[in-house]
Amino acid sequence: QGYKYAIEVLNTGRIGIGAQMLGLAQGVLDHTVPYLKERKAFGTAIADFQAIRHTVATIATQIEAARLLVYNAARMKDNREPHVQEGAMAKWFAGEVASFSSS
């Protein structure tokens, strides 16, 4: 019985770790956007540069995708549905997004 409980805790923990990484990525975005509007280069806010806007849009899209993966895994867990694959996917992708958004 102990092994079964240990594995279930690990499977559920993946969802929690995904949620933590999602929060980290969202926090990075929330702090970055005002800075981009404030910081100037060549006499204009760097938020006005197209390349910066593309990067912000990419990160925002990835954060939303990670959020949906985490929420789906949590919903499946709450409904007592199998969620091993979904939890692993949410954890991995949210970690990738957190890493990309913070670098």
Side-chain angles (χ1 to χ4, degrees), residues 12-27 63 66-67 69-71 73-74 87 90-95 98:
T12 302
R14 288 185 183 103
I15 300 169
I17 293 169
Q20 290 173 10
M21 296 300 101
L22 174 60
L24 188 149
Q26 186 66 58
I63 288 171
R67 179 175 289 113
L69 285 168
V70 169
Y71 284 5
K91 175 189 169 195
W92 174 79
F93 189 70

Side-chain angles (χ1 to χ4, degrees), residues 13 16 20-22 34 36 59 69-70 73-74 76 81 89 93-94 96 101 103:
Q20 290 173 10
M21 296 300 101
L22 174 60
L36 294 175
I59 292 170
L69 285 168
V70 169
M76 292 178 77
E81 298 172 15
M89 289 166 48
F93 189 70
E96 292 292 310
S101 67
S103 61

Side-chain angles (χ1 to χ4, degrees), residues 45-79:
I46 60 175
D48 293 336
F49 296 133
Q50 187 176 27
I52 299 294
R53 288 179 179 237
H54 282 273
T55 302
V56 171
T58 298
I59 292 170
T61 302
Q62 289 179 342
I63 288 171
E64 188 61 24
R67 179 175 289 113
L68 293 172
L69 285 168
V70 169
Y71 284 5
N72 184 54
R75 178 193 56 80
M76 292 178 77
K77 165 77 172 111
D78 285 347
N79 292 333

